[in-house]
Amino acid sequence: MNAPIPAQISCADCPIRHRAVCARCETDELETLETIKYYRSYEAGQSIIWSGDVMNFVGSVVSGIATLTQTMEDGRTQMVGLLLPSDFVGRPGREGAAYNVVATTDLVMCCFRKKPFEDMMVRTPHIAHRLLEMTLDELDAAREWMLVLGRKTAREKIASLLSIVARRDASLTPKGVVNAMTFDLPLTREAMADYLGLTLETVSRQMSALKKDGVITLEGKRRVTVPDMARLLEEAGDDSDGGFLG
Amino acid sequence: MNAPIPAQISCADCPIRHRAVCARCETDELETLETIKYYRSYEAGQSIIWSGDVMNFVGSVVSGIATLTQTMEDGRTQMVGLLLPSDFVGRPGREGAAYNVVATTDLVMCCFRKKPFEDMMVRTPHIAHRLLEMTLDELDAAREWMLVLGRKTAREKIASLLSIVARRDASLTPKGVVNAMTFDLPLTREAMADYLGLTLETVSRQMSALKKDGVITLEGKRRVTVPDMARLLEEAGDDSDGGFLG
DNA sequence: AGTCCCGTTTGATCTGAGTCAAAGTTTTGT
DNA sequence: ACAAAACTTTGACTCAGATCAAACGGGACT
């Protein structure tokens, strides 16, 4: 039921320690964190948390990809977040989960039992502070996505999603300013549709259109090459540089 | 240029003190807050902050209503937040503003110069903790709104907006569980459209349809009566009670 | 009282994305 | 290697909401 945990995981891989919560702290609280942390792995497609469940841990993604979704009774679903390595999961101070969390690829999470983590938050302001910063980032991302969902055309939505995945991918393997890049789309057409508020048919059509127009090229269904990032950002209706430049 | 500040404002009215940040603290830091706080008022239609501006204050709404919006170069705009009395504005630890903030009615804000506020945050964990809680609430609200924007029909969107305004209104003047209620819509049809990712014509048509079907009644254009709140929530496609019950 | 302005309503038509359906492609399992 | 399952593409048609356009109402100011 629980997928095997890769042997090569070590403390150095733990994004909680190195990126998410403790980016700036050096000492004691890290030792405490080590004592309450554990790893957990999931297989592609496996549900991690159901909306409304009591959540007894917080944590962050070590490897793989998970999605946050909300669902209506009649089955309409909207993805409200995409969790990539180093992203944080959990709501310190909250009882239940507000969304479904599903692993879309094989996934390893670094978890902390919630109560001890909250206790530590109270004692170590750095962690609370860092968590606030991360939550503000998520809020910005959610609000940026509201513009995408409310006002962009299907083609602009696809371009926006591609540029976000590209940005995240670039930041994980930094190599300076880039014009062209290749990455793997970690989502099925259906998951893309759920993220963008479209149907999977429309996603497929727009992907084909972007390919025909030379904005992207595809190897197989998932591997995407963007020959000209500025062009993609323009297609996304986004005049900002999307974090690629400056 | 700056609208006059109502004479009756007093510390007791300050939502920062009483609701937003210090709901649970009783002593010293309140005194400190008093020394760095000031009031500022705006007229209906006045812009409070432009996206990208350097923001040198944080604060919260005392009275009136403001909106957070994002705009594309071609003028398409999406409202990403509605600020009602007691809501917090600002991004501790961030330089610039990410959105436009506009007063849609005459408005009074309780402000704190940003640097001293941040210094105090470092010293008083209560405030950082409370701010994290508030930010998590905003994140939940933003993500709930993503479902509205991405997956709901025009009629469901209108019903969702009405139920949110009704809920907020009810929580400001608490009187227990209610089935029927009347409130003022603080938004023009255009602002509603910007919130919902619709055009103002569609908003108007759906308001008329909801009226014809007896879901709401209108006095003038703005005063709305909901005879049966459960019916409205059902129209919103929301099986949760929206905070009205339980 | 009149008229100007702003927000709103209503009507007619158009269109982008949804729906329904079928065929093609990749992955998985035996 | 083959068959089954899962995912993707493409086509034909439909429809919810956008667009374009005109008229309506109510307050503010002569």
Side-chain angles (χ1 to χ4, degrees):
Chain A
M1 152 158 257
N2 201 3
I5 291 168
Q8 73 273 18
I9 284 286
S10 74
C11 289
D13 296 315
C14 177
I16 282 275
R17 173 162 181 172
H18 293 283
R19 282 192 243 184
V21 173
C22 281
R24 302 212 200 94
C25 22
E26 305 272 321
T27 49
D28 287 353
E29 61 264 33
L30 280 180
E31 302 314 312
T32 311
L33 273 172
E34 292 301 326
T35 69
I36 63 170
K37 107 181 164 182
Y38 59 96
Y39 292 101
R40 201 167 187 321
S41 73
Y42 302 85
E43 292 172 1
Q46 202 179 349
S47 190
I48 299 172
I49 303 157
W50 293 100
S51 175
D53 279 2
V54 172
M55 257 186 90
N56 53 15
F57 69 96
V58 300
S60 79
V61 176
V62 174
S63 67
I65 288 166
T67 60
L68 292 182
T69 58
Q70 279 193 306
T71 308
M72 294 170 68
E73 319 82 84
D74 62 8
R76 282 178 280 178
T77 81
Q78 175 65 50
M79 198 186 299
V80 298
L82 187 61
L83 299 171
L84 302 179
S86 91
D87 281 339
F88 185 79
V89 181
R91 304 147 50 78
R94 307 306 172 91
E95 260 303 297
Y99 325 102
N100 301 315
V101 183
V102 179
T104 57
T105 65
D106 288 349
L107 183 89
V108 178
M109 297 232 344
C110 173
C111 304
F112 300 88
R113 286 182 301 117
K114 195 169 146 222
K115 187 64 171 55
F117 186 86
E118 285 171 0
D119 292 345
M120 193 177 54
M121 251 182 69
V122 171
R123 288 195 311 274
T124 59
H126 280 113
I127 291 184
H129 193 264
R130 177 73 187 123
L131 222 38
L132 175 59
E133 223 166 65
M134 291 171 63
T135 307
L136 283 168
D137 283 341
E138 285 190 83
L139 185 57
D140 281 349
R143 285 174 165 165
E144 189 184 326
W145 210 246
M146 287 170 66
L147 178 64
V148 172
L149 290 173
R151 293 301 186 192
K152 291 195 178 179
T153 65
R155 172 185 266 243
E156 289 169 337
K157 285 179 174 180
I158 300 283
S160 297
L161 177 56
L162 292 176
S163 64
I164 280 182
V165 174
R167 169 163 65 230
R168 286 297 305 254
D169 201 82
S171 76
L172 288 179
T173 54
K175 53 191 172 224
V177 174
V178 284
N179 282 326
M181 63 178 301
T182 298
F183 55 91
D184 279 312
L185 246 188
L187 302 170
T188 66
R189 298 290 121 111
E190 188 180 26
M192 292 173 71
D194 283 344
Y195 205 4
L196 296 167
L198 298 172
T199 60
L200 82 182
E201 293 96 328
T202 298
V203 169
S204 179
R205 273 186 252 274
Q206 297 298 335
M207 288 289 286
S208 299
L210 288 175
K211 188 170 80 172
K212 184 166 71 63
D213 296 345
V215 181
I216 58 173
T217 58
L218 295 174
E219 291 170 54
K221 305 301 179 190
R222 298 293 188 81
R223 192 153 192 80
V224 179
T225 298
V226 179
D228 179 359
M229 196 55 70
R231 171 82 192 283
L232 181 68
L233 292 171
E234 190 189 317
E235 290 282 352
D238 200 350
D239 63 349
S240 82
D241 61 23
F244 284 106
L245 313 172
Chain B
M1 155 157 256
N2 200 4
I5 292 169
Q8 74 272 19
I9 283 287
S10 75
C11 289
D13 296 315
C14 176
I16 283 275
R17 174 163 183 171
H18 292 283
R19 282 190 244 184
V21 173
C22 280
R24 304 211 200 94
C25 22
E26 305 272 322
T27 49
D28 286 353
E29 61 264 33
L30 280 180
E31 303 313 311
T32 311
L33 273 172
E34 292 302 323
T35 69
I36 63 171
K37 107 182 165 183
Y38 58 97
Y39 292 102
R40 202 169 186 320
S41 72
Y42 302 86
E43 293 171 1
Q46 202 178 349
S47 191
I48 298 171
I49 302 156
W50 293 99
S51 175
D53 280 0
V54 172
M55 257 186 90
N56 53 14
F57 69 97
V58 299
S60 80
V61 176
V62 174
S63 66
I65 288 166
T67 61
L68 292 182
T69 59
Q70 278 193 306
T71 307
M72 292 169 68
E73 320 81 84
D74 63 7
R76 282 178 282 177
T77 81
Q78 175 64 51
M79 198 185 299
V80 297
L82 187 60
L83 299 171
L84 303 178
S86 90
D87 281 339
F88 185 79
V89 181
R91 303 147 52 79
R94 307 306 171 91
E95 261 302 298
Y99 325 103
N100 302 314
V101 183
V102 179
T104 57
T105 64
D106 288 348
L107 183 90
V108 179
M109 296 232 346
C110 172
C111 304
F112 301 87
R113 286 182 300 118
K114 192 167 148 228
K115 187 66 172 55
F117 186 86
E118 285 171 358
D119 291 346
M120 193 178 52
M121 251 181 68
V122 171
R123 287 195 310 276
T124 59
H126 280 112
I127 292 184
H129 193 264
R130 175 75 187 122
L131 221 39
L132 175 59
E133 225 166 63
M134 292 170 63
T135 307
L136 283 169
D137 283 342
E138 285 190 83
L139 185 57
D140 282 348
R143 285 174 165 167
E144 190 184 325
W145 209 247
M146 287 171 68
L147 177 63
V148 173
L149 290 172
R151 293 301 186 192
K152 291 194 179 180
T153 65
R155 172 186 267 243
E156 289 169 336
K157 285 180 174 180
I158 300 283
S160 298
L161 176 56
L162 292 176
S163 64
I164 281 182
V165 174
R167 170 163 64 232
R168 286 297 306 253
D169 199 83
S171 76
L172 289 180
T173 54
K175 51 193 175 227
V177 173
V178 284
N179 281 327
M181 62 176 302
T182 298
F183 55 91
D184 280 312
L185 248 189
L187 302 170
T188 66
R189 297 291 121 110
E190 187 180 27
M192 292 172 70
D194 283 344
Y195 206 5
L196 296 166
L198 298 171
T199 60
L200 80 184
E201 294 97 327
T202 297
V203 170
S204 179
R205 273 186 251 274
Q206 296 297 336
M207 288 289 286
S208 300
L210 288 175
K211 188 169 81 174
K212 184 166 71 63
D213 297 344
V215 180
I216 58 172
T217 58
L218 295 175
E219 290 169 56
K221 305 301 180 191
R222 297 294 189 83
R223 193 152 191 79
V224 179
T225 298
V226 180
D228 179 359
M229 196 54 71
R231 171 80 192 283
L232 181 69
L233 293 172
E234 190 189 317
E235 290 282 354
D238 200 348
D239 64 347
S240 82
D241 62 22
F244 285 106
L245 314 170

